[in-house]
Amino acid sequence: MARLYVLLFLAQIVLAVCALISCLSAEEGQIRALPRIAWVLIILFFPLVGSIAWFVAGREPGTSTPRAWPGAAERQQRRPLAPDDDPEFLRSVQDRAKQQDAELFRRWEEDLRRREDDLRRRDGEPPREGDRPEV
């Protein structure tokens, strides 16, 4: 008889742990009736009843955590794991670099034109050392 009580106690603990994990990992839109903190307290203070209540009334029907079955990764839409794996991110970085290069080139050309105009206004006077364009 003692073995049966130990087995039921372990089953209750496993059920409570599963309910806590499910509750804590559920998205905000998947939780019904009470806020998440209330469900966590109910599951902790009343492990058997709270766990059953969570699975019956606490989460939206049909929502479950995705399982890692073989081939599940191919069926799911895969998002890049890192920014450098995302082609859109790489494209935006490339575009931003091109824009910065174009802006820098435009500023250099303006500076060069301004310096050339300054030299032309001097009427043939040789430029001083400090007025020469940087190379």
Side-chain angles (χ1 to χ4, degrees):
M1 194 63 153
R3 290 182 187 168
L4 179 62
Y5 288 138
V6 170
L7 184 63
L8 289 176
F9 177 74
L10 289 177
Q12 175 183 345
I13 297 298
V14 168
L15 182 65
V17 168
C18 290
L20 270 175
I21 291 171
S22 175
C23 180
L24 293 173
S25 65
E27 299 287 330
E28 278 303 317
Q30 296 175 339
I31 300 174
R32 293 191 305 177
L34 296 172
R36 182 187 316 262
I37 189 70
W39 280 115
V40 169
L41 292 175
I42 289 171
I43 293 169
L44 287 176
F45 289 131
F46 310 104
L48 183 61
V49 175
S51 300
I52 293 170
W54 164 252
F55 286 119
V56 172
R59 61 182 185 157
E60 289 290 327
T63 59
S64 63
T65 56
R67 305 211 186 266
W69 296 104
E74 290 80 24
R75 289 190 298 264
Q76 292 177 353
Q77 179 183 359
R78 301 293 293 175
R79 290 194 45 115
L81 298 177
D84 59 345
D85 293 337
D86 187 3
E88 292 178 26
F89 175 76
L90 293 174
R91 199 172 310 115
S92 72
V93 168
Q94 231 175 7
D95 292 343
R96 192 176 327 129
K98 285 180 184 178
Q99 289 174 351
Q100 289 173 349
D101 289 346
E103 177 64 24
L104 183 62
F105 185 68
R106 185 189 61 77
R107 286 191 314 209
W108 283 347
E109 282 184 332
E110 286 177 3
D111 185 48
L112 182 61
R113 283 190 191 111
R114 182 184 49 79
R115 289 175 186 227
E116 286 176 350
D117 290 343
D118 288 346
L119 289 174
R120 286 188 187 119
R121 281 190 216 128
R122 292 195 182 158
D123 295 328
E125 197 177 292
R128 291 186 306 239
E129 186 66 33
D131 291 340
R132 290 190 180 169
E134 295 176 12
V135 179

